[in-house]
Amino acid sequence: MNLLLSKETNTIKKLELFEELVNTASNTDFKIAIVYARLATDLANKTQNKTWQPKFNEMKGRIHANLLELDSASYHFDKAFKGYTEIDDKKGQATTLFKIGWVYKKRGDIESAMQSDLKALKLMESINDKAGIAGANTRISEDLCRQERFEEALEYALKNIAFSKKNDLNEELIFSYTNAGSASIAMHKPEDAYMYFNKAVSLAQALGYNPIYMCDFFNNRGNALKRLGRYNEALKDYQEVLKLSKQTNYRNAYVTVSANLGEINLLKGNYKEALKHQLQTVKLQEEDNDLTNLTENYGHISTIYEKLKNYPLALEYQKKARIMRDSTAKIDSDKAMSDLLTKYETGKKDEAIASQALLIEQKSKAQSLIFAVALLLGLLLLSLLYFFNKNKKATKIIRAKNAENELLLKEIHHRVKNNLEMVKSLIALQSAQIEDAATKDAMIASQNRVQSMGIIHQKLYQGNNLGSIEMKDYFLNLSEGILDTFNAEDKVQIKCAMDHLNLDVDTAVPIGLIVNELLTNALKYAFPENKKGEISISLEKFKSNHLKLKVSDNGVGKINGMAPKGTGFGSQLVNLLTQQLNGKMVERSEKGTLIEFDFLIDTAA
């Protein structure tokens, strides 16, 4: 007996040593780590040690995941989950589900990823594992962000920050800061994003964090710095990621930072250097069948080739981007994800209601004296239920029909947006080959007008309300696109000083076109000779049916006696659209140009 115990003890010590070796090697060389994990799994299998078998399968899956060998990762994670289930290790099941969800995310299957994360959350809650609960909420916030439900993602992240601080969960605090930063950057709040990402980097450095994770933290901060226009600081963070990813053989980080180095060099005008990094990124992503950001990276390559005047290849990669985007778009993703989250959140409420009903039933005792009255009431109730059920069925049919119509409308808006984007790209490529300056300006103006309408349709199919557009977010998106067209990000800042305001589509489209014309005009004429400046946009509603739009700049303003520049088509278009909205326009030239509109909108609909 003692001999057997001694033998088993030695085996456990060997397994513990292998675990340490695997974890250490994971920070330096995944190929060495996988060898140790394989040897450890063989040893656990020989000794029939069911505690260690799933643990090492989970380790092997994690290593394959970091190498982006997704099929192998799935195989080992499935074995690990089965092993943890056999020994009823709920925490082991949950941690494996987290990793299974990660694989789904890499494959672009966000719905399945959410299912895995919600199952893991339920398991962690069942054993009251605080760190596990925080980890699950971190991943659900990430899922919401990938689904472009950014406000909900930020809400989850902020709750998790408070939860992690309360329970001294520094590791999850780092990842909650990261999620808050990701949601903020997607909501066009780069200052907030930088604050959260910087907190994540600082805390991780203070804790001497794993260099593999530091790759992601530095990369995130670099993204925020890039959005803030602090390109040199961003480049420094990206170079740190490149160094760490090579040291740790972290392929996933290497792929991501290659893309970011390509984009930052594109922004700095280093087109040949940018092309080198972007082609490397796409090559690795195609090899790994990793669809994450592949559409965006194809688009960056198209832009770089356009800058290098290689128009055939620019168009080829633009087509690749469109094909990839259409193949991965899921119009009903929002509804599916909402259903998953709602089922989980209401599941706990249903359990509480069921428990309460059982308690009432146990306490309730029928009394013979009121039997006759109860019977009469019962008959009345059955009658009411009959009519209610008929009404409920009719309501369900109406709701189902509405949902079907809503899905169809979203599909229409999605296709219109894609077609407008293709038209915009073709105009951009055609204009790049035109030598005549006036014709080229006209083509660029047309490109921006198409873009302003395309953003409207994008907001409609991505949003929850098919009948209205949130104008502040729309103006911010429109401004980014126009600044990019004129390569003016470094010299002109566009501010949107207004509260959130929703407008119907018939009002939003002409206002969007008006703002597009005014921004284009300001960027062309208000800041000559690379003069730096600022443009402000504001839109407010008052008296229930009046809208006041202001667009101002601090540029050179109009010079008296000088003939207007351009073809005049833009001015004619603004006048026609103003009339369409029953509006009046006033223009002032003091310390720049201020154009103010007062629109009388129809509220009779």
Side-chain angles (χ1 to χ4, degrees), residues 321-561:
R322 184 186 178 191
I323 292 167
M324 178 58 63
R325 181 188 56 242
D326 288 345
S327 70
T328 56
K330 293 182 179 178
I331 302 302
D332 58 347
S333 173
D334 284 1
K335 184 178 182 301
M337 295 285 277
S338 294
D339 288 347
L340 281 170
L341 202 55
T342 303
K343 283 176 185 176
Y344 171 74
E345 290 173 348
T346 57
K348 291 192 288 186
K349 294 178 185 176
D350 291 342
E351 288 173 10
I353 292 168
S355 176
Q356 188 179 10
L358 182 61
L359 184 62
I360 292 170
E361 186 180 354
Q362 289 171 344
K363 290 182 178 179
S364 302
K365 293 183 180 180
Q367 297 181 9
S368 57
L369 291 175
I370 59 169
F371 178 76
V373 177
L375 181 62
L376 184 62
L377 289 172
L379 290 170
L380 181 61
L381 181 61
L382 283 172
S383 301
L384 289 171
L385 284 172
Y386 171 74
F387 289 110
F388 173 74
N389 194 46
K390 281 188 71 177
N391 184 55
K392 188 177 179 182
K393 286 181 179 178
T395 304
K396 280 185 177 179
I397 292 169
I398 292 168
R399 283 178 179 170
K401 192 67 179 174
N402 286 342
E404 184 181 337
N405 291 337
E406 183 178 324
L407 190 63
L408 181 61
L409 279 171
K410 283 195 172 190
E411 174 66 25
I412 291 168
H413 285 303
H414 187 247
R415 290 181 182 275
V416 170
K417 179 256 181 184
N418 284 350
N419 289 334
L420 287 171
E421 193 166 308
M422 191 61 177
V423 170
K424 176 196 163 191
S425 299
L426 291 171
I427 293 173
L429 291 172
Q430 186 67 37
S431 63
Q433 301 178 62
I434 294 172
E435 298 295 333
D436 180 65
T439 307
K440 192 167 188 171
D441 284 347
M443 295 286 277
I444 291 172
S446 298
Q447 178 186 341
N448 289 337
R449 289 171 192 131
V450 171
Q451 176 178 267
S452 73
M453 292 186 287
I455 295 172
I456 291 278
H457 290 282
Q458 179 181 345
K459 295 296 176 189
L460 284 170
Y461 82 74
Q462 287 180 344
N464 295 322
N465 188 344
L466 284 167
S468 67
I469 303 294
E470 202 292 295
M471 296 303 291
K472 182 174 182 178
D473 185 53
Y474 168 67
F475 286 149
L476 289 170
N477 278 264
L478 181 64
S479 301
E480 277 187 15
I482 295 175
L483 284 172
D484 182 60
T485 300
F486 287 93
N487 290 321
E489 299 97 330
D490 293 334
K491 73 171 189 174
V492 178
Q493 185 179 11
I494 299 179
K495 292 185 175 180
C496 194
M498 58 182 281
D499 295 326
H500 290 282
L501 175 65
N502 289 295
L503 294 182
D504 63 88
V505 180
D506 291 338
T507 307
V509 170
I511 287 179
L513 285 168
I514 288 170
V515 171
N516 175 80
E517 294 302 320
L518 299 179
L519 291 179
T520 300
N521 199 55
L523 288 171
K524 284 168 69 177
Y525 305 121
F527 308 103
E529 299 175 1
N530 289 321
K531 176 182 171 64
K532 292 191 175 183
E534 187 178 288
I535 303 173
S536 295
I537 309 169
S538 69
L539 179 65
E540 60 179 336
K541 189 175 183 180
F542 62 101
K543 296 182 182 177
S544 77
N545 64 342
H546 278 262
L547 287 170
K548 182 165 284 187
L549 171 68
K550 292 181 183 178
V551 180
S552 63
D553 65 67
N554 60 354
V556 296
K558 285 191 174 180
I559 300 172
N560 292 331

Side-chain angles (χ1 to χ4, degrees), residues 49 66 81 166 188 194 374 421 514 549 559 576:
N49 190 311
N66 283 326
F81 185 76
K166 181 180 177 181
H188 307 290
Y194 174 74
E421 193 166 308
I514 288 170
L549 171 68
I559 300 172
L576 285 170

Side-chain angles (χ1 to χ4, degrees), residues 69 72 124 129 254 263 265 289 311 324 328 361 393 414 422 512 533 553 569:
E69 297 170 356
S72 296
M124 290 299 190
D129 187 312
Y254 180 68
E263 187 178 355
N265 277 291
N289 194 29
Y311 303 116
M324 178 58 63
T328 56
E361 186 180 354
K393 286 181 179 178
H414 187 247
M422 191 61 177
D553 65 67
F569 176 76

Side-chain angles (χ1 to χ4, degrees), residues 82-365:
K82 185 178 178 182
Y84 283 129
T85 304
E86 286 177 1
I87 61 174
D88 196 28
D89 182 348
K90 288 185 172 57
K91 183 170 183 177
Q93 293 171 43
T95 57
T96 307
L97 283 168
F98 288 151
K99 294 172 179 65
I100 289 171
W102 185 90
V103 173
Y104 279 128
K105 288 168 199 176
K106 280 295 168 186
R107 287 175 172 160
D109 187 352
I110 309 302
E111 183 179 340
S112 296
M114 176 71 101
Q115 287 176 334
S116 291
D117 292 337
L118 287 172
K119 286 177 185 175
L121 174 58
K122 199 163 187 177
L123 285 165
M124 290 299 190
E125 287 181 333
S126 71
I127 58 176
N128 196 29
D129 187 312
K130 295 286 196 299
I133 292 168
N137 284 322
T138 295
R139 288 164 176 83
I140 291 167
S141 174
E142 181 185 322
D143 295 336
L144 290 166
C145 211
R146 286 174 182 268
Q147 195 209 359
E148 299 184 3
R149 291 165 61 182
F150 303 121
E151 290 184 5
E152 292 171 82
L154 181 59
E155 184 180 345
Y156 255 84
L158 293 177
K159 283 181 182 178
N160 220 29
I161 287 171
F163 182 84
S164 300
K165 285 181 177 179
K166 181 180 177 181
N167 293 284
D168 295 322
L169 302 170
N170 283 327
E171 182 171 348
E172 290 308 327
L173 182 56
I174 293 170
F175 289 105
S176 297
Y177 282 140
T178 300
N179 282 352
S182 298
S184 296
I185 207 165
M187 294 164 69
H188 307 290
K189 297 178 179 178
E191 295 89 354
D192 291 349
Y194 174 74
M195 176 189 71
Y196 289 123
F197 288 145
N198 194 47
K199 285 184 177 182
V201 170
S202 299
L203 183 54
Q205 285 178 318
L207 295 172
Y209 224 73
N210 187 322
I212 289 175
Y213 289 114
M214 291 306 301
C215 288
D216 296 329
F217 302 146
F218 278 118
N219 187 71
N220 289 330
R221 191 172 70 178
N223 289 341
L225 288 165
K226 177 178 65 182
R227 294 290 183 91
L228 289 167
R230 293 157 63 177
Y231 297 146
N232 290 332
E233 293 174 79
L235 187 58
K236 186 177 177 182
D237 271 351
Y238 291 147
Q239 286 169 341
E240 182 66 20
V241 177
L242 186 64
K243 181 183 78 174
L244 290 173
S245 64
K246 287 180 177 179
Q247 284 177 359
T248 57
N249 196 28
Y250 186 12
R251 183 182 173 96
N252 191 31
Y254 180 68
V255 173
T256 303
V257 79
S258 293
N260 284 326
L261 284 167
E263 187 178 355
I264 202 73
N265 277 291
L266 171 61
L267 292 168
K268 287 170 69 68
N270 304 327
Y271 301 129
K272 290 184 179 178
E273 185 71 13
L275 183 61
K276 179 183 76 174
H277 289 295
Q278 285 290 359
L279 287 173
Q280 174 71 0
T281 303
V282 165
K283 176 177 175 290
L284 293 170
Q285 285 188 302
E286 288 175 340
E287 286 175 0
D288 299 330
N289 194 29
D290 178 12
L291 306 184
T292 310
N293 298 326
L294 190 53
T295 302
E296 182 182 351
N297 291 329
Y298 281 144
H300 286 320
I301 292 176
S302 174
T303 302
I304 295 167
Y305 274 127
E306 184 183 341
K307 298 289 185 184
L308 293 170
K309 302 189 183 303
N310 190 332
Y311 303 116
L313 282 176
L315 185 56
E316 180 186 329
Y317 275 92
Q318 186 62 239
K319 288 178 179 176
K320 281 188 175 186
R322 184 186 178 191
I323 292 167
M324 178 58 63
R325 181 188 56 242
D326 288 345
S327 70
T328 56
K330 293 182 179 178
I331 302 302
D332 58 347
S333 173
D334 284 1
K335 184 178 182 301
M337 295 285 277
S338 294
D339 288 347
L340 281 170
L341 202 55
T342 303
K343 283 176 185 176
Y344 171 74
E345 290 173 348
T346 57
K348 291 192 288 186
K349 294 178 185 176
D350 291 342
E351 288 173 10
I353 292 168
S355 176
Q356 188 179 10
L358 182 61
L359 184 62
I360 292 170
E361 186 180 354
Q362 289 171 344
K363 290 182 178 179
S364 302
K365 293 183 180 180

